[in-house]
Amino acid sequence: MSTAILTGTPVPGSPLEGDLRSLGFDVRTAPDAAAAVGLLAAVPPADRVALVDQRFVGHLHALRLALTDPRFPAAAVTGALTARPEARAALSVALATVTNGTAADRTDATADAAVRNGGTGLATEPGEPATRTASAELPLADRVGAALDADGTAVQHPELGSLVAAVPDGPAAREEALAAVAAVDDEAVRLRSAVKARDGFFTTFCISPYSRYLARWCARRGLTPNQVTTASLLTALVAAGCAATGTRGGYVAAGLLLLFSFVLDCTDGQLARYSLQYSTMGAWLDATFDRAKEYAYYAGLALGAARGGDDVWALALAAMVLQSVRHFVDFSFNEANADSTAATVNGKAVVGTPTTALSSRLDSVGWTVWVRRMIVLPIGERWAMIAVLTALTTPRIVFYALLAGCAFAACYTTAGRVLRSVTRKAVRTDRAAQALADLADTGPLAELVARAVRRPVRALPGVLPLLVALAGGAAAVGVAAFGPLDSPLLILGALVYVLTSGIAVAHRMGGPLDWLVPPVFRATEYGFLLVLAARADVPGALPAAFGLVAAVAYHHYDTVYRIRGGAGAPPRGLVRALGGHEGRTLLVAVLAALTTAESGLAPELTVIAVLVAVIALAESIRFWVSSGAPAVHDEGETA
């Protein structure tokens, strides 16, 4: 439930009460601050509550942004303040403080908070300072918001742009504010803001110009972003089924349906921004379903090719491995640098690198921005390429193009991030180091090694643990690629990987290149399975390996989404139950070495895939359904 408390003197003819009711608020009126205290105390603690000045003049969407966004405990624009249940206690204290007059001497702090983001909400001439008003003259909502800020409760102030939010003092000022409201199309601004600010070329120019209207159509019919996300998944699964027919008509239908699935994928995010329906579950579904759609489509292409006598399962698995590892390069780099601070020399911050300077110069030229966004093959360009090639060519050509494009994009982005990391002097926080440790997915075997060697490893040069991880991964994959599969040598290679993995995570992961350690682990585990299944040359081995990599990748992506959503990593019990990356690699090596050519490797990989999928998915669903994680919105892949 949501309750809005209107404060101050009523304004005849004001549509404010109707606007608040249209936003889902039960409206109550308090003529003064003392009455507002009593009304606030009567509102159930589990309800959202808003304080709004009766003189408020502004766009409905300005109120919507301030009062209905579920991501922030407290938010405000001039004349309006809201608090979710987690901030209700602080709101009560702040309102009591303002009412009792104990905050009357906070003139500067209160006025600064009140004029933030444009002060009155009306446009000023360039360079003209926002008008500062004494705290006693400010609307009650603004004074309470300033008191909340001063007492340590962060109050979100949404960017209004051309939208108006004002509390005019007097008839002339009110007429001016009403004229400013009339001069801006509220709905046009709302529709534009529904589109993600930074996106790929294909999405920006070929999808968003019309998908935003589809998002509005959905909103007006009461559809939720989660329903649209589910429709996108179902459409992609039907597309995968069409591709699996192996016919030209099936391939054409698959390409068209994949494009429509992407339109819906854009629409769900735009619907969330348009209607401010952000949720923890929605962010998880949006991110998870993107992976499920793409990998299911790869499997559909492989099945369709097999119907035509062409076995491309190795290519399908390689595409999934490459795309997943590439994502982990993005995730790890971003987590390592999300809250890093510039290093200092002689008390001065060391900022900027040649790489970032070059990047800034390139971004100053319009066309280079779009070229750079396109060559990293974001999801829009990637799905468009897959859809068109599916309709016009064969699955083998689709995978060749996909592997070539993703390999180039991975080299481009990874090289740039490595250059930034080695040239930028930065201090990474303990939070970033812990996030990298969580992304590593270290199991009980590597944990034992890490505890045994922690003291000597801490004395090693910063880049050496990464080189050890690379050497161990190369040893495991190399033995799988070139050694005998039915030999203890395969197990030995996996044991070397267990040892080197423990060494790599035994130190604090705060070095400039430590963000590469989790992607190295992903590349090793997935690559080991790919090479082993391809070399086994038995029916069903590659599809089984595809299923196992998909199940493990789900667990790894889920870890990322928990960290990005501020919910922390999965419980250690889950990671240990799944064996960690090194434990699963060793298990597969042992099974492969003990498996005869007659029995094949497929049944063993299938059993492991099912176990991993059931355990990881059950825990993931339990967590996301019951967690108290803050509402977020996943913006998808970076362009």
Side-chain angles (χ1 to χ4, degrees), residues 180-400:
V181 170
V184 176
D185 187 341
D186 175 91
E187 178 60 21
V189 172
R190 184 184 181 190
L191 203 55
R192 284 197 305 270
S193 63
V195 177
K196 189 163 57 175
R198 177 184 171 88
D199 223 327
F201 180 90
F202 178 76
T203 304
T204 299
F205 294 103
C206 300
I207 302 297
S208 293
Y210 58 87
S211 62
R212 69 183 75 182
Y213 295 101
L214 179 57
R216 181 171 66 183
W217 183 90
C218 293
R220 290 177 175 177
R221 283 152 184 81
L223 298 177
T224 67
N226 289 355
Q227 291 171 331
V228 178
T229 301
T230 303
S232 177
L233 173 66
L234 294 176
T235 304
L237 293 179
V238 174
C242 291
T245 63
T247 64
R248 178 52 52 195
Y251 289 148
V252 172
L256 293 173
L257 286 170
L258 186 65
L259 285 176
F260 183 61
S261 173
F262 182 65
V263 171
L264 293 176
D265 186 52
C266 295
T267 301
D268 64 1
Q270 291 164 0
L271 175 58
R273 285 182 287 270
Y274 181 85
S275 55
L276 299 183
Q277 295 184 74
Y278 304 116
S279 69
T280 302
M281 176 67 76
W284 173 64
L285 288 178
D286 187 42
T288 302
F289 283 4
D290 278 351
R291 304 287 73 77
K293 288 181 286 189
E294 190 164 4
Y295 299 156
Y297 194 80
Y298 293 173
L301 285 175
L303 289 170
R307 285 179 175 272
D310 189 12
D311 187 353
V312 297
W313 275 107
L315 295 176
L317 179 51
M320 181 164 65
V321 169
L322 180 56
Q323 189 59 35
S324 299
V325 173
R326 179 186 164 207
H327 278 150
F328 260 84
V329 170
D330 296 342
F331 298 148
S332 295
F333 179 81
N334 291 337
E335 286 302 325
N337 294 281
D339 51 6
S340 63
T341 56
T344 57
V345 175
N346 298 326
K348 295 183 178 180
V350 180
V351 296
T353 69
T355 307
T356 55
L358 175 61
S359 179
S360 298
R361 285 198 297 271
L362 289 174
D363 282 345
S364 65
V365 183
W367 65 270
T368 64
V369 173
W370 294 113
V371 170
R372 295 176 68 205
R373 292 188 188 182
M374 291 173 67
I375 63 177
V376 299
L377 210 63
I379 188 170
E381 276 74 359
R382 192 168 67 251
W383 283 26
M385 180 186 73
I386 293 171
V388 171
L389 291 179
T390 298
L392 300 180
T393 64
T394 65
R396 182 172 289 273
I397 293 177
V398 172
F399 285 123
Y400 282 156

Side-chain angles (χ1 to χ4, degrees), residues 588-609:
V588 171
V590 170
L591 291 174
L594 298 179
T595 297
T596 63
E598 290 75 17
S599 62
L601 189 60
E604 291 87 346
L605 294 181
T606 301
V607 170
I608 299 173

Side-chain angles (χ1 to χ4, degrees), residues 444-510:
L445 297 178
E447 276 186 336
L448 289 174
V449 174
R451 281 197 289 267
V453 302
R454 180 162 284 124
R455 182 166 296 179
V457 165
R458 286 180 175 176
L460 295 177
V463 74
L464 196 55
L466 170 62
L467 296 178
V468 169
L470 283 168
V477 176
V479 170
F482 303 108
L485 297 185
D486 57 351
S487 162
L489 187 61
L490 188 63
I491 300 175
L492 179 61
L495 286 172
V496 169
Y497 178 57
V498 171
L499 177 63
T500 57
S501 298
I503 294 173
V505 298
H507 73 305
R508 178 184 180 274
M509 300 179 72

Side-chain angles (χ1 to χ4, degrees), residues 402-630:
L402 185 61
L403 287 168
C406 287
F408 176 81
C411 291
Y412 172 78
T413 56
T414 304
R417 286 167 179 175
V418 168
L419 286 174
R420 283 183 174 88
S421 298
V422 298
T423 57
R424 181 190 181 212
K425 305 299 182 183
V427 178
R428 291 179 172 85
T429 64
D430 290 337
R431 186 218 61 82
Q434 184 58 52
L436 292 179
D438 293 332
L439 289 175
D441 190 37
T442 302
L445 297 178
E447 276 186 336
L448 289 174
V449 174
R451 281 197 289 267
V453 302
R454 180 162 284 124
R455 182 166 296 179
V457 165
R458 286 180 175 176
L460 295 177
V463 74
L464 196 55
L466 170 62
L467 296 178
V468 169
L470 283 168
V477 176
V479 170
F482 303 108
L485 297 185
D486 57 351
S487 162
L489 187 61
L490 188 63
I491 300 175
L492 179 61
L495 286 172
V496 169
Y497 178 57
V498 171
L499 177 63
T500 57
S501 298
I503 294 173
V505 298
H507 73 305
R508 178 184 180 274
M509 300 179 72
L513 293 178
D514 283 346
W515 58 270
L516 282 169
V517 172
V520 167
F521 290 159
R522 299 296 85 78
T524 300
E525 182 181 6
Y526 301 166
F528 183 84
L529 284 165
L530 168 61
V531 172
L532 203 61
R535 287 196 64 205
D537 196 24
V538 293
L542 278 167
F546 187 97
L548 178 53
V549 171
V552 173
Y554 174 84
H555 164 60
H556 290 148
Y557 277 109
D558 186 58
T559 301
V560 170
Y561 302 142
R562 294 192 196 209
I563 294 174
R564 285 170 60 174
R572 288 300 304 164
L574 173 65
V575 177
R576 293 189 179 105
L578 295 177
H581 64 94
E582 81 290 351
R584 290 186 296 270
T585 301
L586 179 59
L587 175 61
V588 171
V590 170
L591 291 174
L594 298 179
T595 297
T596 63
E598 290 75 17
S599 62
L601 189 60
E604 291 87 346
L605 294 181
T606 301
V607 170
I608 299 173
V610 170
L611 289 175
V612 170
V614 169
I615 295 172
L617 189 60
E619 161 57 25
S620 178
I621 293 174
R622 182 209 62 79
F623 170 79
W624 288 104
V625 169
S626 62
S627 76

Side-chain angles (χ1 to χ4, degrees), residues 5 28 30 32-43 95:
I5 299 174
R28 305 177 186 180
D32 52 37
V37 171
L39 288 177
L40 178 61
V43 176
L95 180 58

